[in-house]
Amino acid sequence: MDKTASEPLEHKRHTLAHLLAAAVLEMYPDALPTIGPAIDNGFYYDFEFPAGTNIAEGDLHVIEERMRKILPTWTKFTSRELSKDEAVSSFSSPNGSNKYKAELINEIISKNEKITFYKAGGFEDLCRGGHAENPAKDIKPDSFKLSRIAGAYWRGDEKNKMLTRIYGLAFDSGKELKEYEAMIKEAEKRDHRKLGKEMDIFEFNDDTGPGLPLWLPNGAIMIEELEKLAKETEFKAGYVRVRTPHIAKDSMYLKSGHLPYYEESMFPPMEYEGGKYYLKAMNCPHHHKIFAARARSYRDLPLRLAEYGTCYRHEKSGELFGLMRVRMLSMNDAHIYCAEEQFAGEFKAVNDMYLEYFKIFGIDKYVMRFSTHDPKRLGDKYVDEPELWKKTEDMVREVLVGAKIPFVEVPNEAAFYGPKIDVQVWSAIGREFTLATNQVDFAVPRRFGLNYTGKDGKEKTPLCIHRAPLGTHERFIGFLIEHYGGNFPLWLAPVQVKVIPVAEAHFAEAEKIHKALRGTFIRSEVDLSNDNFGKKVRTAKLSRAPYFIVIGDKDIEAGKVTLESRDGGKVGQMKLDEVLAIFREKIDDRK
Amino acid sequence: MDKTASEPLEHKRHTLAHLLAAAVLEMYPDALPTIGPAIDNGFYYDFEFPAGTNIAEGDLHVIEERMRKILPTWTKFTSRELSKDEAVSSFSSPNGSNKYKAELINEIISKNEKITFYKAGGFEDLCRGGHAENPAKDIKPDSFKLSRIAGAYWRGDEKNKMLTRIYGLAFDSGKELKEYEAMIKEAEKRDHRKLGKEMDIFEFNDDTGPGLPLWLPNGAIMIEELEKLAKETEFKAGYVRVRTPHIAKDSMYLKSGHLPYYEESMFPPMEYEGGKYYLKAMNCPHHHKIFAARARSYRDLPLRLAEYGTCYRHEKSGELFGLMRVRMLSMNDAHIYCAEEQFAGEFKAVNDMYLEYFKIFGIDKYVMRFSTHDPKRLGDKYVDEPELWKKTEDMVREVLVGAKIPFVEVPNEAAFYGPKIDVQVWSAIGREFTLATNQVDFAVPRRFGLNYTGKDGKEKTPLCIHRAPLGTHERFIGFLIEHYGGNFPLWLAPVQVKVIPVAEAHFAEAEKIHKALRGTFIRSEVDLSNDNFGKKVRTAKLSRAPYFIVIGDKDIEAGKVTLESRDGGKVGQMKLDEVLAIFREKIDDRK
């Protein structure tokens, strides 16, 4: 869902779904309308077309024109309440009744809700409402577009009949629609699956298993750089690191509650030594065990245990998508065990870390989705700690407001064991990604019997903050590929510099420079192929290396090299030491 | 086995096993002797004692004295050949026959071998020979010692009767025996399980599972430092890194041959999506898939794929031992794909890397155990590539001889797919560890259909070198704990420096210095407890931190600090910048 969509835009999109159905039924009177909601970039409507009627993408513009023809006649919506029989019969045609609408109507009846119909122009539909007040005036004819056709099972269940879904895009204005289309086109060019292949970043393989990426050398470099960033940042922030196995016995997951509550998201067990071992789906239970491995006192808190741990989760094979939906998750994980009075400070520090990362990666647009509890559901949906809920939610809110971090508060969507913050960011081309989730945990430390001796000598249970600002390598690198369009900054670029000799006479010098660069851990490549100079420059540019160094007669005479940048063109002729100084500074500062 | 034990020492140890049996039978005429071999530090003999006879460790010195009393009478061994019946009846006593010796005699008969008996003094035993020529002269009375008693099943099978095993230590001289005992005593003090707990390095837990270490913060620091060392060393040596999942489908392991040949060493499968997924027991198949993920030409070779990959292997729970025998193995792995003509150079480079590591860790004593094939077993025990076997074995031998690396050649112990080198090292206190295995692989690249286009345009199969100089984190850190006795060098020490204020007046300055140290990524701790100065110094020394810094009035007045070293005592008063420079140099050079 696009969290920034205004309520009225959702109404327009919903209205357009009605309009689509009206147009389709004018053109195909035997088609059966089913459901048609607003979605994050427009709307869709699912139809059963009579056997023999094939709708192709080429037909969409005709339907779209019909929608534009009807639109001026829709100046308002009226609604009325119907009885069940009236409602069902209103969808009957000479060919019989509409069993889809009948099913929906029966569901409404079974929930003791009212059956409402909404009508605009000559078209009436079963509907809960939420439309543009005056479609003819509110909806600009150039602000929408039918985009594609897809098959969709009735109610998403593959046991049901396959219906025909027609998708439309819709925005407040034609300009916004065009911008969105341009963004999608750019996103296709930057598709992380395409660039990931082209740039040798990752690969999938049937024998290793779907959803389990093999990180090729260039991807492994990015992983190493991200881990280096995380480790440095976390060292400075007083975290300590741990390493834990990728498996554990069922007894641990029974204690944590992953079994049975999270079992369907876990890989199936290995039957071993008369027991069951599971691949870990989260690192927390292992970290709790490390907390519990020593007697802890208030002096040890906050204890911040960090691990780039690899977890495994079941995802349906149909839902796997490049690096965005995978079965292996290398998480920038940490658990902060703290006393209640330390919570606000720790939570603020976590937020500061996010902001530091956003700055490094040039992420300008982000929002924290702050999910809170519902006091009425305490003891049922939420762990029964009314004061802790109130206190921590207040503290979270205070920190977010104080730091002027954009956030939306979503009541009644917290986790069972505490408030939750989902971090959403927008890539350079304006696409939204959910990168990470932070959670406050009142409940699990108690389940694990974690405690520390307080200043007063009494045993207390710590609070636990789960946090993962860089999310998983899989999703974050997927995001970064799109965000940078493959043009990674120097510190992150798999190949940082290409050394290009102008001719064969300069090969030896080029190789010497290449080796000097690598001697200071710069990821340099040298092009000693038979290609001519022009081709070598083109190859270097295509590789997306942030810099290339040219070596020719004049450079050798001057004891210098010529540095060119991917983003800024020629930097100039300079000594190799100067190049190294430029590189070192940019790399150290992650500019 | 102690590879340095001379043949005669093994003869003496074997002789002492006879002598032990002679002494026991003089003292306990109803005891049944079974078998008694030489072992790496001495010998043992297993007996069935009559019901009611309890031998305790306290009895050992009496038996030992009896051995010393008999020894001067043993001036030579004589041997004779017996028939089966003669042999069996020679072990009969008024209480019946010796069924253990009868079983051994039957086995010898079934193999069509001769039954030989060896006699010294008044004691004769079934034996294949191999004794000291003149025990009375060759064996020094102070060079052996009975060390302990243990239960041992007949032939190691728990279905059989439990016998009583008496162990003895034996060396060429009393001096060597004493040195060995001192080494064992020191090894107990340095026991990695004891120090690992004391120093918060690792921990095991029943819920996470036996044999699966949880690396505590101090252990994780050591892991990070070792990985940093490996990554830097491998970058300089032209390796590229990859990252691969911890699981794969059965189809991959069927291709690699791990299934079924290695199945019993693997964890059982997860039944998933109608197939089977296994935890990886080795990284090679994943790396082969990465080789295969792109078309390769001779220009891409050698391709050196490195990964600190975590593998999982089944070990019987009774055989788990601290970090030395575990079920999780974090391997310093790499696979080098090369053309035949590149093999010698690559193998030499691998060896050089070993030597570099030995230098860093102060490993002075090491030997490579070079296992070669047996030409008679080609096509049966060994892949049928006679020329490749000869060529690569010759090259390996040449490199080892050329680099003056101590090695022993062991015929007919190679792997199925190529020659193998086991690397054995001795810790600072003289204990032997097998750290790593290198293998040359002719066969598996072909099974995986790996190939590259040669200069001549033809498809060729690369050779593959499997190498892991730092072994696994588990075993290597276990080794390092003993090797350094917990007194790690600065670069590897979990806590590098402790900052100690002389009194409360110096707390603020101490904390400032502590923060400055951490700002340059030095692992510093500051002691702001209420303990007095003397106690703080003792605590710092006990912590095994390589340095501590004292801050008192005189230091603050002088704008300096006082640096003391764990190993060398007071270094002196100096500016913090000077301390940082000393630290930085030692850390960068890993001195």
Side-chain angles (χ1 to χ4, degrees):
Chain A
M1 286 286 286
D2 183 352
K3 296 306 157 321
T4 58
S6 56
E7 199 59 4
L9 177 54
E10 277 193 58
H11 288 183
K12 290 182 204 172
R13 287 170 172 165
H14 181 190
T15 301
L16 284 161
H18 280 254
L19 189 62
L20 167 58
V24 165
L25 289 173
E26 279 189 22
M27 297 169 64
Y28 307 91
D30 293 338
L32 299 180
T34 67
I35 53 163
I39 54 173
D40 64 347
N41 60 1
F43 58 93
Y44 70 77
Y45 210 109
D46 288 349
F47 303 93
E48 183 187 327
F49 283 97
T53 305
N54 289 316
I55 306 288
E57 306 236 326
D59 301 318
L60 291 183
H61 73 280
V62 186
I63 302 173
E64 198 180 296
E65 281 316 307
R66 180 71 67 118
M67 288 169 71
R68 291 210 177 84
K69 214 176 116 192
I70 300 168
L71 180 58
T73 69
W74 285 22
T75 52
K76 64 169 179 186
F77 270 91
T78 55
S79 72
R80 57 175 183 143
E81 213 178 303
L82 270 72
S83 72
K84 181 185 162 184
D85 291 346
E86 288 169 329
V88 171
S89 68
S90 84
F91 285 110
S92 296
S93 75
N95 300 324
S97 69
N98 181 328
K99 63 179 176 191
Y100 305 104
K101 293 288 189 187
E103 188 177 322
L104 297 173
I105 290 161
N106 280 326
E107 264 178 33
I108 296 169
I109 295 288
S110 72
K111 288 190 211 150
N112 276 323
E113 288 171 6
K114 287 177 186 166
I115 303 171
T116 52
F117 273 62
Y118 280 79
K119 186 176 185 181
F123 178 78
E124 189 172 29
D125 203 354
L126 173 71
C127 181
R128 281 203 181 85
H131 305 98
E133 283 196 16
N134 180 346
K137 193 171 144 265
D138 295 340
I139 299 177
K140 308 282 168 252
D142 66 346
S143 71
F144 69 91
K145 184 178 185 177
L146 295 185
S147 53
R148 63 193 178 95
I149 292 180
Y153 295 107
W154 168 239
R155 321 219 81 173
D157 186 339
E158 60 187 24
K159 288 190 221 95
N160 291 335
K161 179 143 185 147
M162 172 83 83
L163 305 172
T164 302
R165 175 171 297 176
I166 300 177
Y167 280 101
L169 301 172
F171 291 85
D172 282 318
S173 67
K175 184 171 165 274
E176 282 163 273
L177 172 61
K178 282 207 181 68
E179 281 167 2
Y180 178 81
E181 289 188 293
M183 187 263 278
I184 292 301
K185 209 169 155 190
E186 183 61 27
E188 275 163 17
K189 270 195 249 166
R190 295 177 175 217
D191 188 322
H192 79 278
R193 294 165 302 171
K194 185 174 141 275
L195 288 186
K197 200 165 197 66
E198 252 175 66
M199 298 182 74
D200 289 339
I201 293 174
F202 67 95
E203 187 73 43
F204 289 97
N205 181 284
D206 270 350
D207 282 333
T208 50
L212 300 168
L214 292 167
W215 290 99
L216 304 181
N218 286 346
I221 287 168
M222 295 182 71
I223 286 181
E224 293 291 333
E225 288 295 346
L226 292 175
E227 294 196 2
K228 194 161 168 264
L229 168 62
K231 286 170 189 176
E232 287 178 13
T233 308
E234 287 162 5
F235 180 88
K236 285 187 184 158
Y239 289 64
V240 291
R241 309 201 73 76
V242 296
R243 293 275 190 128
T244 64
H246 301 92
I247 56 175
K249 278 208 281 196
D250 53 358
S251 56
M252 182 146 94
Y253 296 117
L254 286 163
K255 199 167 279 173
S256 68
H258 286 89
L259 295 178
Y261 302 112
Y262 197 75
E263 190 168 11
E264 63 182 24
S265 294
M266 292 172 76
F267 269 70
M270 291 165 275
E271 307 280 344
Y272 188 59
E273 289 198 327
K276 286 178 182 179
Y277 277 71
Y278 285 85
L279 278 173
K280 70 177 170 189
M282 296 185 189
N283 298 303
C284 12
H286 278 101
H287 292 187
H288 296 339
K289 285 290 180 189
I290 286 179
F291 184 96
R294 293 289 180 272
R296 308 286 181 186
S297 93
Y298 67 94
R299 281 185 219 92
D300 301 318
L301 302 191
L303 180 67
R304 309 177 192 92
L305 300 181
E307 176 176 32
Y308 244 113
T310 306
C311 299
Y312 290 85
R313 293 186 191 162
H314 167 59
E315 293 279 352
K316 284 183 195 159
S317 59
E319 286 171 7
L320 296 174
F321 177 73
L323 292 176
M324 289 294 151
R325 274 285 188 109
V326 284
R327 288 174 173 166
M328 161 177 154
L329 301 96
S330 310
M331 293 183 65
N332 171 225
D333 218 350
H335 295 90
I336 302 172
Y337 301 86
C338 64
E340 252 180 77
E341 60 272 22
Q342 295 167 328
F343 175 80
E346 289 304 307
F347 182 75
K348 184 174 178 324
V350 168
N351 261 298
D352 289 346
M353 196 180 280
Y354 269 96
L355 299 183
E356 197 182 327
Y357 286 140
F358 289 163
K359 213 166 159 190
I360 289 172
F361 292 104
I363 295 170
D364 303 323
K365 190 178 171 190
Y366 52 87
V367 68
M368 307 255 177
R369 200 167 184 272
F370 172 33
S371 299
T372 55
H373 80 301
D374 177 348
K376 289 196 288 291
R377 303 291 300 275
L378 282 171
D380 149 27
K381 190 170 168 188
Y382 303 113
V383 56
D384 197 7
E385 297 272 10
E387 278 174 36
L388 264 178
W389 278 105
K390 197 177 164 336
K391 223 189 276 183
T392 50
E393 286 179 2
D394 283 352
M395 285 192 281
V396 167
R397 206 175 289 113
E398 224 166 87
V399 170
L400 293 172
V401 171
K404 295 194 177 110
I405 291 172
F407 75 102
V408 289
E409 198 167 324
V410 195
N412 199 17
E413 285 201 9
F416 170 68
Y417 45 74
K420 189 175 84 167
I421 297 100
D422 292 300
V423 182
Q424 283 155 315
V425 302
W426 278 258
S427 75
I429 60 167
R431 275 223 307 174
E432 188 186 352
F433 291 78
T434 299
L435 274 197
T437 300
N438 298 330
Q439 294 182 339
V440 187
D441 188 337
F442 319 137
V444 182
R446 187 158 303 155
R447 289 180 75 123
F448 270 81
L450 305 188
N451 53 46
Y452 68 95
T453 311
K455 270 186 195 159
D456 55 6
K458 285 185 190 149
E459 293 293 283
K460 298 185 179 177
T461 305
L463 290 180
C464 177
I465 302 174
H466 307 237
R467 46 108 280 175
L470 299 178
T472 65
H473 283 320
E474 290 74 19
R475 185 170 285 203
F476 195 61
I477 290 179
F479 164 81
L480 290 177
I481 292 172
E482 171 175 312
H483 185 59
Y484 290 116
N487 291 317
F488 301 113
L490 185 65
W491 69 275
L492 193 58
V495 178
Q496 295 176 311
V497 56
K498 291 258 192 184
V499 181
I500 307 174
V502 172
E504 211 174 323
H506 316 111
F507 274 24
E509 185 63 19
E511 191 151 19
K512 210 176 97 191
I513 284 162
H514 162 68
K515 283 192 173 152
L517 287 162
R518 285 189 62 88
T520 65
F521 294 103
I522 299 288
R523 297 184 292 269
S524 159
E525 283 184 4
V526 59
D527 189 342
L528 302 181
S529 70
N530 297 327
D531 295 341
N532 66 37
F533 179 64
K535 175 107 190 276
K536 285 184 185 186
V537 170
R538 282 193 301 280
T539 306
K541 284 183 173 169
L542 273 175
S543 79
R544 296 185 170 83
Y547 287 95
F548 58 98
I549 284 177
V550 174
I551 306 287
D553 285 335
K554 283 184 190 161
D555 300 299
I556 294 176
E557 272 164 37
K560 295 185 173 182
V561 302
T562 299
L563 181 67
E564 303 218 14
S565 120
R566 174 193 65 203
D567 306 319
K570 186 170 281 192
V571 183
Q573 202 191 41
M574 58 185 78
K575 287 195 174 150
L576 181 60
D577 280 350
E578 292 172 82
V579 174
L580 288 174
I582 292 174
F583 284 4
R584 191 43 57 203
E585 197 197 331
K586 278 180 185 285
I587 290 169
D588 287 348
D589 297 351
R590 297 191 172 91
K591 272 179 194 161
Chain B
M1 285 290 285
D2 185 353
K3 296 306 156 322
T4 59
S6 57
E7 200 60 5
L9 178 54
E10 276 193 60
H11 288 182
K12 290 182 204 171
R13 287 169 172 166
H14 182 191
T15 301
L16 283 162
H18 280 253
L19 189 62
L20 166 59
V24 165
L25 289 173
E26 279 189 22
M27 296 170 65
Y28 307 90
D30 293 338
L32 299 180
T34 68
I35 52 164
I39 53 173
D40 63 347
N41 59 2
F43 58 92
Y44 70 78
Y45 210 109
D46 289 348
F47 302 93
E48 184 187 326
F49 283 97
T53 305
N54 287 318
I55 307 287
E57 307 234 327
D59 301 319
L60 292 183
H61 74 278
V62 185
I63 302 174
E64 202 180 293
E65 281 316 306
R66 180 70 69 117
M67 288 169 72
R68 290 210 178 86
K69 214 175 119 191
I70 301 169
L71 181 59
T73 69
W74 285 23
T75 52
K76 64 172 178 183
F77 270 90
T78 55
S79 70
R80 57 178 182 140
E81 213 179 303
L82 269 73
S83 72
K84 182 184 158 182
D85 291 345
E86 289 169 329
V88 171
S89 67
S90 85
F91 286 109
S92 296
S93 76
N95 300 326
S97 68
N98 182 328
K99 63 181 175 189
Y100 305 104
K101 293 289 188 186
E103 189 177 322
L104 296 173
I105 290 161
N106 280 325
E107 264 178 34
I108 297 169
I109 295 288
S110 72
K111 288 189 213 151
N112 277 321
E113 289 171 4
K114 289 177 182 164
I115 302 170
T116 53
F117 273 61
Y118 280 79
K119 185 174 184 180
F123 179 77
E124 189 170 32
D125 202 357
L126 175 70
C127 179
R128 280 204 182 85
H131 304 98
E133 284 197 15
N134 179 348
K137 191 168 146 266
D138 295 342
I139 298 178
K140 308 282 168 254
D142 65 347
S143 71
F144 69 90
K145 183 179 186 176
L146 296 186
S147 54
R148 65 193 176 94
I149 292 181
Y153 295 107
W154 168 240
R155 322 219 80 174
D157 186 339
E158 58 186 28
K159 287 188 221 97
N160 291 337
K161 178 143 184 146
M162 170 84 83
L163 305 172
T164 302
R165 174 171 296 176
I166 299 177
Y167 280 101
L169 302 172
F171 291 86
D172 281 320
S173 67
K175 184 170 165 275
E176 281 164 273
L177 172 62
K178 282 206 180 66
E179 281 167 1
Y180 178 81
E181 289 188 293
M183 187 264 278
I184 292 299
K185 209 170 157 191
E186 183 61 28
E188 275 164 17
K189 270 196 246 165
R190 295 177 175 217
D191 187 321
H192 79 278
R193 295 164 301 171
K194 184 175 142 274
L195 288 186
K197 198 161 199 71
E198 251 175 65
M199 298 184 73
D200 289 339
I201 293 173
F202 67 96
E203 186 73 43
F204 289 97
N205 181 284
D206 270 350
D207 282 333
T208 50
L212 301 168
L214 293 167
W215 290 100
L216 304 182
N218 286 345
I221 287 168
M222 295 182 71
I223 286 181
E224 293 291 333
E225 288 295 347
L226 291 175
E227 293 195 3
K228 193 161 169 267
L229 167 63
K231 285 169 189 176
E232 287 177 14
T233 308
E234 287 161 7
F235 181 89
K236 285 189 182 156
Y239 289 63
V240 291
R241 309 201 73 76
V242 296
R243 293 272 191 130
T244 64
H246 302 91
I247 56 175
K249 277 206 282 197
D250 54 356
S251 56
M252 183 146 94
Y253 297 118
L254 287 163
K255 200 168 277 172
S256 67
H258 285 90
L259 294 178
Y261 302 112
Y262 196 73
E263 190 168 11
E264 62 181 26
S265 294
M266 292 172 76
F267 269 70
M270 292 165 275
E271 305 281 345
Y272 189 59
E273 290 197 326
K276 285 179 182 178
Y277 277 72
Y278 285 85
L279 277 172
K280 68 178 169 188
M282 295 185 188
N283 298 303
C284 14
H286 278 101
H287 293 187
H288 296 339
K289 285 291 179 186
I290 287 179
F291 184 95
R294 294 287 180 271
R296 308 286 180 185
S297 94
Y298 67 93
R299 282 186 218 92
D300 301 318
L301 301 191
L303 180 65
R304 309 177 192 93
L305 301 181
E307 175 175 31
Y308 244 113
T310 306
C311 299
Y312 290 85
R313 292 185 192 162
H314 167 59
E315 293 280 352
K316 285 185 195 158
S317 59
E319 285 172 7
L320 297 174
F321 177 74
L323 292 175
M324 289 295 150
R325 274 286 188 108
V326 284
R327 288 174 174 166
M328 162 177 152
L329 301 97
S330 310
M331 292 183 66
N332 172 227
D333 217 351
H335 294 91
I336 302 172
Y337 302 85
C338 65
E340 251 180 77
E341 60 272 24
Q342 294 167 328
F343 175 80
E346 289 303 308
F347 181 74
K348 183 175 180 320
V350 167
N351 261 299
D352 289 345
M353 196 180 281
Y354 269 96
L355 300 183
E356 198 181 327
Y357 286 141
F358 290 163
K359 213 167 160 188
I360 289 172
F361 292 103
I363 295 170
D364 303 323
K365 187 176 170 192
Y366 51 87
V367 68
M368 307 253 178
R369 198 166 187 273
F370 173 32
S371 299
T372 55
H373 80 301
D374 176 349
K376 290 195 288 290
R377 304 291 301 274
L378 283 172
D380 149 25
K381 188 171 170 188
Y382 302 112
V383 57
D384 197 8
E385 296 274 9
E387 277 174 38
L388 263 178
W389 277 105
K390 195 177 166 338
K391 223 190 275 181
T392 51
E393 286 180 0
D394 284 351
M395 285 192 280
V396 168
R397 204 175 291 112
E398 224 166 88
V399 170
L400 292 172
V401 170
K404 295 193 178 114
I405 290 173
F407 74 101
V408 289
E409 199 165 325
V410 195
N412 199 18
E413 286 201 7
F416 171 68
Y417 45 73
K420 188 176 83 168
I421 297 100
D422 292 300
V423 182
Q424 281 153 317
V425 302
W426 278 258
S427 75
I429 59 167
R431 276 221 308 173
E432 189 185 354
F433 291 80
T434 299
L435 274 197
T437 299
N438 298 329
Q439 294 181 336
V440 186
D441 188 337
F442 319 139
V444 181
R446 188 160 300 154
R447 288 180 76 123
F448 270 79
L450 304 188
N451 55 45
Y452 67 95
T453 311
K455 270 186 193 156
D456 55 7
K458 285 186 189 148
E459 293 293 283
K460 298 185 179 176
T461 304
L463 290 181
C464 178
I465 302 174
H466 306 238
R467 46 111 278 176
L470 299 178
T472 65
H473 284 319
E474 290 74 19
R475 184 169 285 203
F476 195 59
I477 290 178
F479 164 80
L480 290 178
I481 291 173
E482 171 174 314
H483 186 58
Y484 290 116
N487 292 318
F488 301 112
L490 185 67
W491 69 275
L492 193 58
V495 178
Q496 295 176 312
V497 56
K498 291 259 192 185
V499 182
I500 306 175
V502 173
E504 212 175 324
H506 317 110
F507 274 25
E509 186 64 18
E511 192 152 19
K512 211 177 96 191
I513 283 162
H514 162 69
K515 282 191 176 155
L517 288 161
R518 285 189 62 88
T520 65
F521 294 103
I522 300 289
R523 297 183 291 269
S524 159
E525 282 183 4
V526 60
D527 189 342
L528 302 182
S529 70
N530 298 327
D531 295 341
N532 64 38
F533 179 63
K535 176 108 192 277
K536 285 183 185 187
V537 169
R538 283 194 299 280
T539 306
K541 284 183 175 170
L542 273 175
S543 80
R544 296 187 173 83
Y547 286 95
F548 58 100
I549 284 176
V550 174
I551 305 288
D553 283 335
K554 284 185 191 159
D555 301 298
I556 295 178
E557 272 163 36
K560 294 185 172 180
V561 303
T562 299
L563 181 67
E564 302 217 16
S565 119
R566 174 192 64 203
D567 306 319
K570 186 169 281 193
V571 183
Q573 202 191 40
M574 60 184 79
K575 289 197 174 148
L576 181 60
D577 280 350
E578 292 172 84
V579 174
L580 289 174
I582 292 174
F583 284 3
R584 191 43 55 204
E585 197 197 332
K586 278 181 185 287
I587 290 170
D588 287 349
D589 297 351
R590 296 191 174 92
K591 270 179 195 161

